[in-house]
Amino acid sequence: MNRPASRFRWPAALLALLLAAPAGRAFVDDALSFAYEAANPYAERGWIIREDAWGGDLGQGDKKAVTAQLFRGNSYMFFLATDIDGAALRVNIYDAEGNLAESKSWQRGRFAYAEIKPRSTGTYYAIVEIISSPEERTGWALVYGFQRK
Amino acid sequence: MILRLLFVLFLCLGTALGQKPDKTIDLGQFPAETVDNVVIPVPSEIFTVLDKLGNPNWRGELGPEENYPASPNRTQVALLLGTVIADGFVAVEAEDSERVKKIGRNVLTLAEAINVRKSVVARSNSIIEKADAREWNAVRREFDGALQDVNQAMLELNDAQLAQLVSLGGWLRGTEVLTSIVKDKYSRDRAELLYQPMLVDYFNRQLDQMSPRLRRQQLVGEIRKSLGRIGPLIKKSRPSEISEETVTEINALATQMVELIRAKAG
C-alpha cells in the first residue's frame, strides 16, 4: 500500500525521526538529506530553497503527483532524491491540462531535477516516478526552490 | 566550491542518459495525490513577482499599527497571526524598519497565545536585527521561515487545523494587498497573479474538513462563506483575463474578511 506523501521540514523532521520514527520514514529522511545536498549548489547561485519538503515511498514504476501553485515571472526548480543505492527516479512538471511544461529536466540515478519558467500563473503538477529500484519500496524526497528571472 | 561545481556537472551529465518524459499525461491518474499533496507558495514567491511589476505604494498598504493582545480564542489568534506575518512582508516592501520590528514582536505575542512561541523566538529576534540593518531580503526569508516554523510547531502539537488557519490568514491578507495593488494600477499582467484556483479550493476543502467545533465559530463560518464567493470569481476567467471588476470584487471580499479577523481578535 502506498504511504501518503507528507510534507515535512528539515531539520525538525530529522529530530522527530530520531526520536520515534517508523522504519519507512527513516529512509524518507535520508532521501531528504540527499535532496538538500543536491540543491545546495543552486542556493549558492541565487535560488531560494524552501525549508519545507515533500516525501514518501513508492514501489517501482509507481508515480505520485505533487500539486503546486506557480507564478509567471518566477523560475522554479524541483529536486528529487532517494537514498537507495542503485535506484533511478525522475520528476517532471506538467500544467493543469497535463502538458509537459518544464524548461529542462534530467535524471541520474538517485537524483532527478526539473526546472520551469511558467508561461502563465496557475496550477502545475510535479510528477514523481520511481523508474527502477533494488528495493520493494523506495523513499523519496522533493525539495523546491524559486528565483526571480 | 569546486567540489560542488563538479557535483552539479556530474548530475548534469545524466541528462543525456535519462528517458524522455511523456509530452502529455492524464492527470486523472492521480486523483487522491492532487488533492492531498499541495505546495502552498510562501509569500516571497508572490512578492518577487510584484517587485517586477512597477513600484506599488507599499506604505499605503500597511495595516493598522496595533499591538494585538493575546486573545484566549486560538482560532482567531491563528488567523490573525497569518495576517500579521503577511503584514510583515508589506512592511519589508515599504522598507519601514520600525514597523517590521513591531510586527516581529506581534508575531511573538500571538505565537505565545497558541503555544508556539519557542518555535519563533529566534526568527523574531532575527527579524528585528535584520530590519535594523535594513537587510530586506534576509527579513523576507525570516518571515517565510516564521510562517513555516509556526506551521511545523503546530503540526508537532497535533494542531494541524490551527496551522491551516495561520496559512489561510496569511493568504487572505496577501490577497487583500495584492488585489489592492492590482486595482490601483490595473494591468492584465498584474491581475494574473490572482489566478490561484487550486489554493482557493485547497482552503475551502480545509475549512470543510475542520472539526464541527471550529466550523461552528462565527468567524470561521463567515470566512467559509466569503471564500466560497472568491472561488467562482477566480475560476470564471482564464489566467490572463482577470478583469478589473473581478479584482475589485475579490478585494472587497478579502478586505471584509481581514477586517473581521482583526475586529474579533482585537
Side-chain angles (χ1 to χ4, degrees):
Chain A
M1 198 180 99
N2 282 3
R3 195 186 308 271
S6 58
R7 199 181 71 145
F8 51 92
R9 273 204 52 232
W10 173 267
L14 178 61
L15 180 63
L17 288 162
L18 284 173
L19 291 174
R25 283 298 295 271
F27 61 64
V28 172
D29 196 67
D30 289 339
L32 183 61
S33 303
F34 279 101
Y36 273 115
E37 190 183 325
N40 263 340
Y42 288 77
E44 288 171 6
R45 283 157 37 191
W47 290 87
I48 298 165
I49 310 295
R50 288 272 299 262
E51 289 184 23
D52 42 2
W54 289 259
D57 65 271
L58 289 168
Q60 184 169 314
D62 288 348
K63 293 180 182 179
K64 196 117 196 156
V66 176
T67 314
Q69 164 73 43
L70 305 184
F71 297 92
R72 184 163 67 89
N74 284 338
S75 291
Y76 295 87
M77 54 148 275
F78 293 80
F79 235 114
L80 178 68
T82 180
D83 66 314
I84 305 291
D85 208 9
L89 35 69
R90 69 180 176 193
V91 57
N92 296 105
I93 315 297
Y94 291 84
D95 66 18
E97 278 77 47
N99 300 311
L100 189 66
E102 65 208 21
S103 54
K104 69 168 136 173
S105 65
W106 51 256
Q107 68 88 18
R108 183 177 174 87
R110 65 172 64 167
F111 297 104
Y113 174 90
E115 189 175 318
I116 177 173
K117 189 169 182 180
R119 283 187 185 170
S120 62
T121 295
T123 309
Y124 291 81
Y125 300 91
I127 307 295
V128 171
E129 181 181 2
I130 308 298
I131 300 169
S132 62
S133 176
E135 303 287 338
E136 192 182 337
R137 307 293 299 173
T138 301
W140 58 273
L142 182 72
V143 299
Y144 129 66
F146 64 97
Q147 74 175 176
R148 210 183 310 180
K149 223 175 194 178
Chain B
M1 184 65 178
I2 290 170
L3 279 176
R4 281 190 169 158
L5 287 172
L6 285 173
F7 180 60
V8 170
L9 185 64
F10 164 78
L11 293 175
C12 291
L13 284 174
T15 310
L17 304 174
Q19 301 169 19
K20 285 197 168 177
D22 295 331
K23 291 276 181 209
T24 59
I25 57 164
D26 175 12
L27 291 167
Q29 287 178 303
F30 311 96
E33 287 87 346
T34 52
V35 166
D36 292 339
N37 304 320
V38 173
V39 180
I40 305 293
V42 288
S44 281
E45 289 175 47
I46 302 171
F47 282 94
T48 52
V49 180
L50 276 173
D51 279 349
K52 288 189 293 189
L53 298 175
N55 207 358
N57 175 17
W58 291 110
R59 286 201 175 268
E61 300 300 333
L62 286 168
E65 196 169 350
E66 285 184 42
N67 287 319
Y68 293 105
S71 155
N73 186 327
R74 289 160 57 82
T75 305
Q76 292 163 359
V77 172
L79 284 161
L80 185 63
L81 179 54
T83 68
V84 168
I85 291 174
D87 278 336
F89 281 92
V90 179
V92 168
E93 295 301 321
E95 301 193 350
D96 185 335
S97 56
E98 286 311 308
R99 182 65 76 92
V100 169
K101 285 172 1 188
K102 190 163 192 175
I103 289 168
R105 286 189 286 269
N106 270 336
V107 166
L108 210 52
T109 307
L110 294 168
E112 184 163 17
I114 46 177
N115 304 325
V116 292
R117 183 182 192 276
K118 212 170 144 189
S119 67
V120 290
V121 169
R123 294 280 186 195
S124 176
N125 290 338
S126 186
I127 285 168
I128 290 166
E129 187 184 308
K130 284 173 177 140
D132 263 336
R134 302 179 73 79
E135 293 173 11
W136 301 117
N137 282 337
V139 180
R140 266 184 182 176
R141 280 198 295 277
E142 293 297 341
F143 273 120
D144 275 339
L147 193 54
Q148 291 166 20
D149 285 349
V150 165
N151 278 332
Q152 183 62 32
M154 285 178 177
L155 292 175
E156 283 164 16
L157 292 170
N158 290 320
D159 241 340
Q161 295 187 343
L162 275 195
Q164 287 150 9
L165 290 175
V166 175
S167 294
L168 176 58
W171 185 80
L172 288 172
R173 173 68 177 131
T175 302
E176 182 195 16
V177 172
L178 186 55
T179 46
S180 172
I181 285 168
V182 172
K183 79 184 173 78
D184 194 41
K185 197 176 172 185
Y186 175 82
S187 76
R188 286 187 167 190
D189 271 358
R190 286 178 162 216
E192 191 184 326
L193 281 168
L194 289 166
Y195 192 74
Q196 303 171 19
M198 179 269 284
L199 290 185
V200 179
D201 285 347
Y202 172 79
F203 285 124
N204 265 322
R205 216 166 39 242
Q206 300 294 337
L207 288 176
D208 287 346
Q209 290 168 2
M210 281 187 176
S211 68
R213 184 184 59 81
L214 278 176
R215 285 205 312 266
R216 272 197 302 270
Q217 292 205 22
Q218 192 195 352
L219 180 57
V220 174
E222 294 287 342
I223 290 174
R224 278 179 85 193
K225 221 185 294 173
S226 297
L227 208 53
R229 289 171 62 194
I230 288 180
L233 287 172
I234 286 179
K235 289 178 195 168
K236 74 179 182 185
S237 315
R238 294 166 63 86
S240 58
E241 294 170 359
I242 296 177
S243 70
E244 198 168 356
E245 186 189 5
T246 299
V247 175
T248 304
E249 281 181 75
I250 297 172
N251 175 257
L253 288 164
T255 302
Q256 187 189 2
M257 283 186 274
V258 170
E259 280 173 1
L260 208 54
I261 291 167
R262 285 185 182 137
K264 293 278 179 185

